[in-house]
Amino acid sequence: MIDKLEVGLFQDMFLSAAENIISQEPYLTEIDSAIGDGDHGLGMKRGFQSVEKLLRNKQYAYIDELCYEISVELIKTMGGASGIIFGSMFLGGVDCLPHSQYADAKQISQYFWMGEQSVEKRGKAQPGQKTMLDALSPACVQMELAAKGSADLIEVFRAGYQGALHGMEACRGMVSKTGRSRNFEEKTLGLPDPGAVSTTFIFEAFYHRIYENVR
């Protein structure tokens, strides 16, 4: 059980997420080429390569500063709408985090929920429109529910990963209603949204890293 997330472990979790995104660039490019302009994978790789470099060269003392600098790095380096959206995912809830070495389950779940709200506002989108929100929103809902029932952050991140995974799979049955992919209309049926896939890869890495920490 982990009832407090220490900044060093959270930094390792972000590093694992960066490595996962980088390794999955070919797949992200493949699916975005089918229902978009094909640049999502390269943009995600570029942004998270910069995050990886940042995290390998600096150790953080405070959990809010860690999340703030990761957000800014993504916005600066990823480019395009994805940079703003994924930067907002990690920036929107920074004020919910303590200026401390630790955060608890409720603070972490609130952090991600406020990030989700920021993405909705920035992207002018909602869950159900076949965007990254179709993975992020259920991840945040499940994290909040888990945090209400348990102080164990392993369970909170497990719930987040499962929520993202189910949401990403569900969006295969949706027709894109926003962004460039809406031009493909019914051709998007059966394929997951690339942003939702990227979001799921991030939560997958978060969960696996925190789980491995207690093995």
Side-chain angles (χ1 to χ4, degrees):
M1 176 175 175
I2 297 177
D3 60 359
K4 290 185 178 180
L5 183 59
E6 192 268 332
V7 62
L9 176 55
F10 206 15
Q11 182 166 342
D12 286 346
M13 290 164 66
F14 271 110
L15 183 58
S16 293
E19 292 170 344
N20 203 23
I21 289 292
I22 292 165
S23 70
Q24 294 289 351
E25 179 271 319
Y27 176 61
L28 294 172
T29 297
E30 177 186 346
I31 58 175
D32 192 47
S33 296
I35 61 172
D37 56 13
D39 66 348
H40 178 76
L42 291 174
M44 293 295 292
K45 180 179 180 180
R46 181 170 60 248
F48 279 92
Q49 280 179 328
S50 293
V51 167
E52 180 186 33
K53 182 178 179 180
L54 175 72
L55 298 180
R56 290 194 185 281
N57 287 282
K58 183 174 181 179
Q59 293 296 315
Y60 290 86
Y62 303 110
I63 208 158
D64 57 339
E65 290 183 355
L66 168 70
C67 295
Y68 176 80
E69 291 202 11
I70 288 170
S71 305
V72 171
E73 194 68 21
L74 289 174
I75 292 170
K76 286 194 310 182
T77 62
M78 190 180 294
S82 291
I84 298 297
I85 294 302
F86 280 87
S88 296
M89 173 180 169
F90 297 122
L91 183 62
V94 165
D95 289 343
C96 299
L97 296 173
H99 187 60
S100 169
Q101 187 179 356
Y102 298 96
D104 63 25
K106 290 183 178 179
Q107 289 167 329
I108 289 295
S109 67
Q110 183 68 7
Y111 165 68
F112 280 102
W113 177 248
M114 293 307 296
E116 192 274 354
Q117 294 292 290
S118 180
V119 170
E120 286 197 29
K121 183 178 179 180
R122 289 275 188 175
K124 298 180 180 179
Q126 295 179 339
Q129 296 181 319
K130 198 159 187 163
T131 70
M132 60 93 73
L133 285 166
D134 292 304
L136 179 59
S137 185
C140 294
V141 169
Q142 293 304 314
M143 290 179 84
E144 185 176 24
L145 289 172
K148 287 179 179 178
S150 173
D152 188 357
L153 280 147
I154 297 174
E155 287 304 307
V156 170
F157 278 100
R158 181 197 63 79
Y161 170 44
Q162 290 298 318
L165 183 61
H166 292 157
M168 182 270 290
E169 290 295 340
C171 82
R172 291 177 182 271
M174 300 175 186
V175 174
S176 295
K177 297 180 180 179
T178 187
R180 293 172 182 171
S181 61
R182 71 177 183 268
N183 298 322
F184 291 80
E185 299 180 340
E186 281 75 17
K187 291 181 180 179
T188 63
L189 282 170
L191 293 171
D193 174 72
V197 176
S198 290
T199 301
T200 303
F201 285 149
I202 290 168
F203 278 95
E204 176 187 37
F206 282 164
Y207 169 59
H208 286 162
R209 180 63 188 89
I210 194 171
Y211 177 75
E212 290 167 359
N213 188 69
V214 298
R215 292 182 64 183

